[in-house]
Amino acid sequence: MMEAKFIPGDKVPAWLAELAKERRTAVPRREGGAVVFRPFDPDQPVPLGRQATTPPKGSVFPQCEPLMVFRYEKDPASPDTSQVRVKETIDETPRLVVGGRPCDARGFATFDRVYDAEDVKDLNYLARREHTAFITMACPRPSSTCFCHWVGSGPADTECSDVLMTPVEGGYVLEPVTETGGELLQSSLLEDAGKRLDEAHAVHKRAAEGLGEAPDLSETPGKLLELFDDMGFWEEVSAKCISCGACTYLCPTCYCFNITDEACGAEGARLRTWDNCMSYQFTMEASGHNPRPTKAHRLKNRVGHKFSYYPTIHGGAIACCGCGRCIKHCPVSVDIREIVLKATAAESAEQE
Amino acid sequence: MQPLNPYLPDVATITEIIDETPAIKTFRVVLGEKRMKEFSFKPGQVGQLSVFGTGESTFVINSPPSRMDYLQFSVMRAGEVTSKLHSMSPGDQIGVRAPLGNWFPYEDLKGKNIVFVGGGIGMAPLRTLLLYMLDNRGDYGDISLLYGARTPQDMAFQYELPDWLGRDDLKTQLTVDVESEGWEHSVGLIPNVLLEMEPSPENTVAVTCGPPIMIKFTIQALHKLGFQDNQIITTLEKRMKCGVGICGRCNIGTKYVCKDGPVFTYEELKQLPNEL
């Protein structure tokens, strides 16, 4: 049985330094007004007290990564012709992400259902996923933009985490979730949690109560489909959207990508980069036809994907972790919660 | 078994390039000897062709699985990858990720009469199924083909037309949009010619592919002739990248055209959200 531990706040940097020797470790760092995930640096403070501006999605799903590399090689026997050699680029570097929130870690569950499906295995993703551990910070106080409880999660959710870290008086309680998590808690800097574990669970309880009641979204997938052809509805809810795509780039569950080639001389790489379904070009076809020509069509697909199509395919699981970044950082205050509630209520009103 | 990397293409060598029309070239390619021997696909499945350093685009494999000396793809010049492909020569190497997607229900169609209706480059996927059926002729009933293009010069697979026109076991009708010198076949839009042909819907399935506007009016014509939605099969085109239902751009609601398609019956299409 793996036991919970306690680390005094002032010993956290030393513990992280130990962990960073074994694994490539990403931690929150203040940059300008933002908190972003960066490689651990013993000379930099690690702000653990607030949700990072960006999720640690890139640790497992980098913004840009090679899916393979290729090289044209001249045939010595026939110098006019060249052969192409292709090589996989699977990255199995052991990694650790410290200080993400339960919503951030749980975002990978959304990825896993698609990237680790029965019929398709995304080997580049799976190698990173398998070799990345998460020490996740439970949320002591929900923000006004948080809605993790709407999508089946909560401020102390342990899904996809290896260790759950909870702030208590004087330091943090560390609860191992997986075997890997237990291995991460072997340091002599750690003490037994003792009664502090109860204190941590009280923090979890208070945070969950602070979120309030969650709406019933069980009918939402069908209702979004019923509204599919009601472009008046979608034009209204997307009226202020500027198609900037910030929501997609900041989302721990958005997994769409593009594939492009880059070459220099005889060598090159096929790259996977994050893509953005709010962009006009995303579905633009070679013929010039675009099935999602307006921002209303595109926002409809984004909301539909997260709250209707994905749950329909994946046994009810919603492709949103409720982190609220798309709401907090939207430059024009589009709120996906409002759209989902409005769609759900619009149908109810019609039925009455 | 080690799972296959879905993004890793086979390196293939172009063995022959056929100039079909001013904008369309057909590429015959072979994979490595071992891979070519183990490679199998079904009529209607697609592949991602890539020019290393430029990128990938999706095309149907338009040679039939009953003829496995090479894989054939017909490519209309439209963007970067297709332009680069058009500049290549026999002996050059490209990438092939195939087979991807679903296929025509050729097993379920056994014993049925088949009406093929192809427009322009939309003839490519139909050619795969047509040749497969001709190679297994005894399994199918009457087979007829209506193939149309804007002008005679825009008609692909011209080297095969004399054979198709001359066969006793295939009823072929060709049409172009406007009168053209030396043209001895029909003149008129495909849906109109189809109505004149008046194929019976009795134990028959229509398989159509072409520009969206053509498909739309062809389906209307088929309905007029008495065809039901489940007797009409078509293939969809979308912008595709990953080809395996992950990257997110070719979905129509819960269906991914690259994985759940490109072949759908009209009955299935009507159940999808309206986002073609």
Side-chain angles (χ1 to χ4, degrees), chain A residues 84 122 257 261 284 289 292, chain B residues 7 53 93 239 249 251 276:
Chain A
V84 181
D122 189 308
F257 60 83
D261 280 13
M284 178 84 167
H289 171 64
R292 295 181 202 141
Chain B
Y7 305 114
Q93 290 190 316
R239 187 179 182 87
R249 72 200 66 227
N251 74 298
L276 296 180

Side-chain angles (χ1 to χ4, degrees), chain B residues 137-257:
Chain B
R137 191 62 190 85
D139 289 342
Y140 301 93
D142 294 340
I143 303 180
S144 51
L145 164 69
L146 167 58
Y147 175 27
R150 259 187 303 235
T151 71
Q153 290 73 37
D154 292 316
M155 202 157 256
F157 313 115
Q158 292 194 16
Y159 42 93
E160 283 175 320
L161 299 181
D163 175 42
W164 294 352
L165 286 162
R167 291 181 75 120
D168 294 335
D169 57 356
L170 172 68
K171 184 183 159 198
T172 301
Q173 179 80 57
L174 306 178
T175 185
V176 292
D177 289 359
V178 287
E179 290 281 0
S180 196
E181 204 182 317
W183 182 251
E184 295 168 350
H185 308 279
S186 292
V187 174
L189 297 176
I190 288 168
N192 298 337
V193 179
L194 178 65
L195 287 172
E196 286 166 18
M197 282 172 71
E198 219 178 342
S200 162
E202 183 67 33
N203 191 37
T204 303
V205 168
V207 187
T208 182
C209 187
I213 190 79
M214 178 218 113
I215 293 180
K216 184 179 165 189
F217 286 106
T218 296
I219 288 173
Q220 285 181 11
L222 288 166
H223 280 152
K224 268 190 203 165
L225 292 165
F227 282 77
Q228 301 299 306
D229 293 340
N230 62 1
Q231 288 176 280
I232 302 170
I233 296 171
T234 188
T235 70
L236 295 186
E237 239 187 288
K238 283 269 168 185
R239 187 179 182 87
M240 302 178 202
K241 280 286 173 181
C242 73
V244 289
I246 301 183
C247 81
R249 72 200 66 227
C250 74
N251 74 298
I252 305 173
T254 57
K255 300 287 184 200
Y256 288 80
V257 173

Side-chain angles (χ1 to χ4, degrees), chain A residues 234-276:
Chain A
W234 293 105
E235 278 157 19
E236 191 188 325
V237 297
S238 66
K240 55 190 176 181
C241 172
I242 55 171
S243 284
C244 69
C247 48
T248 65
Y249 294 125
L250 294 173
C251 176
T253 63
C254 273
Y255 57 78
C256 293
F257 60 83
N258 197 0
I259 301 176
T260 52
D261 280 13
E262 267 187 18
C264 182
E267 294 181 331
R270 182 152 295 164
L271 303 173
R272 183 218 308 266
T273 44
W274 293 358
D275 208 345
N276 162 24

Side-chain angles (χ1 to χ4, degrees), chain A residues 67-68 70 72 81-90 114-115 117 119-124 225 228-229 255-263 270 272 275 277 281-287 289-292 297 300-301 305 308-310 312-313, chain B residues 2-11 13 48-56 78-79 82 88 90-95 97 212 237-239 241-256 259-260 271-276:
Chain A
L67 289 174
M68 57 161 221
F70 53 83
Y72 286 94
T81 61
S82 55
Q83 303 283 314
V84 181
R85 308 277 174 227
V86 176
K87 212 172 107 190
E88 285 182 287
T89 49
I90 306 291
V114 178
Y115 282 67
D119 52 345
V120 180
K121 303 284 177 196
D122 189 308
L123 304 186
N124 292 67
L225 269 190
F228 195 89
D229 288 325
Y255 57 78
C256 293
F257 60 83
N258 197 0
I259 301 176
T260 52
D261 280 13
E262 267 187 18
R270 182 152 295 164
R272 183 218 308 266
D275 208 345
C277 65
Q281 284 83 4
F282 189 66
T283 49
M284 178 84 167
E285 295 170 16
S287 64
H289 171 64
N290 194 340
R292 295 181 202 141
H297 290 92
K300 172 172 68 174
N301 181 68
H305 182 204
S308 178
Y309 318 149
Y310 186 101
T312 302
I313 297 171
Chain B
Q2 186 74 16
L4 293 175
N5 186 333
Y7 305 114
L8 205 62
D10 284 301
V11 174
T13 306
Q48 285 272 5
L49 294 192
S50 57
V51 180
F52 294 99
T54 302
E56 291 187 307
T82 51
M88 298 185 96
D92 287 344
Q93 290 190 316
I94 61 171
R97 282 200 290 135
E237 239 187 288
K238 283 269 168 185
R239 187 179 182 87
K241 280 286 173 181
C242 73
V244 289
I246 301 183
C247 81
R249 72 200 66 227
C250 74
N251 74 298
I252 305 173
T254 57
K255 300 287 184 200
Y256 288 80
K259 185 176 154 186
D260 304 307
Q271 286 164 6
L272 296 179
N274 177 24
E275 200 180 44
L276 296 180

Side-chain angles (χ1 to χ4, degrees), chain B residues 14-52:
Chain B
I14 299 172
T15 55
E16 192 180 347
I17 300 174
I18 301 162
D19 286 317
E20 298 281 359
T21 75
I24 301 169
K25 286 188 181 189
T26 288
F27 296 81
R28 290 181 173 170
V29 307
V30 291
L31 310 176
E33 201 176 333
K34 181 170 174 287
R35 181 77 174 113
M36 197 73 204
K37 268 186 193 146
E38 69 190 18
F39 189 88
S40 69
F41 73 102
K42 300 194 167 126
Q45 286 194 290
V46 299
Q48 285 272 5
L49 294 192
S50 57
V51 180
F52 294 99

Side-chain angles (χ1 to χ4, degrees), chain A residues 21-33:
Chain A
K21 281 183 201 159
E22 305 294 323
R23 292 167 170 269
R24 191 176 292 178
T25 298
V27 299
R29 184 182 307 160
R30 224 173 277 281
E31 276 187 9

